[in-house]
Amino acid sequence: GLRCAPLLRGHRGRPAADLAAVLDAIEAVCRFAEEQAAQLLEIEINPLIALPRGAVAVDAVLRLADATATPA
């Protein structure tokens, strides 16, 4: 159901993306988010480039709450 599905499958002669690597990256981010849920404020990966062999997160933002701060 993704609009980008044709691009991931290979489009206009381009090779298909390594979907296993894309899913591995998504699952790793989900695991991190679950493990850090108590202090995780924000997480963003943009873009995640799906290659024919692998996937690369070009830029990421992770914002965690300051564990040493006292609540207001």
Side-chain angles (χ1 to χ4, degrees):
L2 296 173
R3 290 187 341 202
C4 67
L7 299 175
L8 295 172
R9 281 186 260 172
H11 185 66
R12 295 185 179 181
R14 308 267 306 171
D18 183 347
L19 293 181
V22 171
L23 292 175
D24 286 346
I26 293 168
E27 289 172 350
V29 171
C30 288
R31 277 193 306 275
F32 175 82
E34 288 174 350
E35 292 167 3
Q36 302 300 321
Q39 64 261 21
L40 183 62
L41 300 175
E42 176 182 8
I43 188 166
E44 176 185 344
I45 297 174
N46 186 18
L48 177 70
I49 298 178
L51 302 168
R53 291 180 60 189
V56 177
V58 176
D59 187 27
V61 174
L62 300 170
R63 198 164 58 99
L64 302 174
D66 186 352
T68 61
T70 55

